[in-house]
Amino acid sequence: MKNQFGINKLLNEKEIREKKVILDSLMKGLVITLSSRCNLKCIMCEVRNTQWDIPRHIIEEVIGLFPYLETVIWQGGEPFFLEYFEELFDEASKFSNLKQMIVTNGLLITDNWIERLVKNNVELTFSIDGVTREVYEQIRIGADFSCVISNLKAIRDARRKYNPEKMSLRLHVVVMRSNYYQLLDFIEFAREYGFNAVHLISMWGNNNSAENIFHNREKKALAYIDTVRERIEEKAKRYSIQLLNSLPCNEKHAGSAQEKGIDYIADNGLFCLLPWQQLNIDPGGGVRPGCLCLKNIGNILNNGLKDLWNNEQIQVYRKKIIDYEYKSWCNAACVSGQIGKELKSS
């Protein structure tokens, strides 16, 4: 049997170096919103406003791509809430080169799941927006703080028992009015439960919500965040926790990011590789290279993934990046250098 993964990876790297716009290689990463169904009703969530379940024929196409993939991100809704997710996880686990990254609230992870997760090539991303019961349960309506803590302890113990390097943990925090003052505490929380990385993001949409401190330019909250930004970075570094900070910058920090310049990923000067490496399926079926990208390239309700991979729109994406004409197509946070290269390649 041919090494489909290795052959595709080498071909993809060659086509990136040659700045190809139409690719013979397939994508090496997929980000998939499986469903909008969830066991919670979080105050900042807009996914649940779109009724969505990925069509079965697209799941079958995704399974057919497993031999070529390096990463697949499963997200929802809540993946562990879906009756078919166990089958999907087991099928992907057959491929040693494929890292599964699961975005979850962590409440439905059973003891049986924990052992399987820690023994496989998995990055488990817990979405936790409060380090105290009061804040956490106020934001994540229907959640039980003691349950998520219990599961975190069980995963920590299982990693120590089996192989702590096999599975990695990421803490995903949506920063808003209800929790911004806990920012430093999130790093301590991550250390206590063995998280390898912390990702801080602002609210997407919900611009009419009082919780959206960045859209509303809430002075007290933004001033506090600016005050602790460097302390958060220092503390994460001291604990050897990778910090992915996607929070909007003020003028001072934005200027600092721009002074560093754009992180070029490849030797040929491309500042983002996602249009050559990845497809991102949103609720409703819209497809973009990555979750921060501004333009859809199509919809899986109309075309399959392989058809979208070289369609006219994604060719334009690739050409815009090659020609340094990407500002109207790419997120300003990426263009300014605020978003690091680790989020601009698969």
Side-chain angles (χ1 to χ4, degrees), residues 102-291:
I102 308 169
V103 183
T104 176
N105 57 49
L107 295 165
L108 302 178
I109 300 177
T110 62
D111 290 341
N112 177 56
W113 261 116
I114 288 172
E115 185 169 340
R116 291 160 70 190
L117 290 167
V118 300
K119 289 182 176 180
N120 278 286
N121 188 16
V122 170
E123 179 179 273
L124 196 59
T125 297
F126 273 78
S127 296
I128 299 174
D129 311 296
V131 298
T132 60
R133 177 185 296 275
E134 179 184 12
V135 173
Y136 174 79
E137 293 183 0
Q138 173 191 338
I139 294 171
R140 295 193 165 262
I141 298 174
D144 182 344
F145 189 65
S146 61
C147 177
V148 76
I149 294 300
S150 176
N151 284 344
L152 284 173
K153 289 178 179 178
I155 289 171
R156 181 184 61 192
D157 294 344
R159 292 176 76 197
R160 290 171 178 170
K161 178 180 178 181
Y162 296 105
N163 184 351
E165 305 302 325
K166 186 73 173 178
M167 188 190 81
S168 59
L169 279 181
R170 179 180 295 198
L171 178 61
H172 190 276
V173 182
V174 180
V175 179
M176 62 190 91
R177 174 185 277 187
S178 292
N179 67 4
Y180 72 85
Y181 53 87
Q182 293 190 332
L183 276 171
L184 286 167
D185 298 326
F186 281 112
I187 307 301
E188 294 291 346
F189 184 91
R191 182 194 190 195
E192 181 176 357
Y193 294 105
F195 284 92
N196 305 92
V198 174
H199 192 180
L200 305 176
I201 68 168
S202 58
M203 289 177 62
W204 289 94
N206 282 315
N207 291 340
N208 294 324
S209 170
E211 291 287 342
N212 198 333
I213 55 178
F214 295 99
H215 177 78
N216 298 331
R217 305 302 303 167
E218 191 168 310
K219 292 182 179 180
K220 180 181 177 182
L222 299 186
Y224 176 82
I225 292 171
D226 289 336
T227 299
V228 301
R229 188 182 290 264
E230 291 181 0
R231 292 166 61 194
I232 292 169
E233 294 172 357
E234 291 168 359
K235 182 173 282 194
K237 185 177 181 179
R238 186 164 69 249
Y239 295 159
S240 298
I241 295 171
Q242 181 187 20
L243 179 64
L244 304 171
N245 190 347
S246 298
L247 299 180
C249 294
N250 64 11
E251 291 183 6
K252 173 187 173 183
H253 290 100
S256 175
Q258 289 174 358
E259 286 172 9
K260 294 176 183 176
I262 292 172
D263 282 327
Y264 290 105
I265 299 169
D267 292 338
N268 51 27
L270 301 177
F271 95 102
C272 179
L273 302 185
L274 292 183
W276 285 267
Q277 295 182 333
Q278 177 181 280
L279 291 180
N280 180 101
I281 302 174
D282 291 322
V287 177
R288 299 175 285 167
C291 65

Side-chain angles (χ1 to χ4, degrees), residues 10 18 28 39 53 62 94 99 104 111 119 121 172 186 188 190 219 246 308 318:
L10 290 173
E18 295 174 352
K28 55 182 284 192
N39 55 319
D53 279 287
V62 168
K94 296 176 183 177
K99 187 179 190 70
T104 176
D111 290 341
K119 289 182 176 180
N121 188 16
H172 190 276
F186 281 112
E188 294 291 346
K219 292 182 179 180
S246 298
L308 293 170
R318 292 167 185 157

